[in-house]
Amino acid sequence: MTAPTSIPPTELPATIRGYLAAHEARDVDAALRAFTPAAVVVDDGTTYRGTEEVRRFLSRAGTGYRYTTELLAAERVDGTHWVATHRLEGDFPGGVVDLAYRFTMAGDLVAELVIAP
């Protein structure tokens, strides 16, 4: 990997933009279509592997809280690695957090997504 380059969010791959919109809308089926069958998602210390576990992540992520999401920045690391940084504000502990969504692409699909502060 190389050093990330800041880009306008519109320059994120279409699959990533589609995933982010579907995830924010809580459209599990649309969000799931962004992933490879063997995709891995890591969020809050838990790893989800494969379609059914990723579906479980998508259907449960953030459901215990009300919050808003704002896309703060986008970066291209290289041809397969992208980062979208979001600010979440809501009624969860701490109330505000900036999270980096680190995507690894396999062709036009997400092979790995790691979400962390």
Side-chain angles (χ1 to χ4, degrees):
M1 282 193 270
T2 60
T5 302
S6 292
I7 59 170
T10 56
E11 290 184 21
L12 287 167
T15 300
I16 292 175
R17 292 191 322 268
Y19 162 77
L20 293 172
H23 187 62
E24 185 174 349
R26 299 185 190 261
D27 184 341
V28 172
D29 291 331
L32 190 60
R33 286 192 290 273
F35 291 91
T36 66
V40 174
V41 174
V42 179
D43 181 45
D44 200 26
T46 302
T47 301
Y48 305 88
R49 298 179 193 283
T51 301
E52 289 312 308
E53 289 187 12
V54 171
R55 178 186 297 280
R56 190 174 76 232
F57 156 74
L58 292 168
S59 64
R60 295 180 182 171
T63 58
Y65 304 103
R66 289 180 300 170
Y67 59 91
T68 60
T69 303
E70 177 187 2
L71 181 57
L72 298 177
E75 298 174 319
R76 180 183 189 273
V77 179
D78 57 32
T80 58
H81 297 90
W82 305 80
V83 181
T85 302
H86 284 83
R87 173 163 293 149
L88 278 63
E89 294 188 46
D91 61 0
F92 52 85
V96 178
V97 65
D98 291 347
L99 295 176
Y101 289 61
R102 291 177 169 78
F103 293 89
T104 301
M105 302 298 289
D108 290 335
L109 296 175
V110 177
E112 182 178 67
L113 169 58
V114 177
I115 303 169

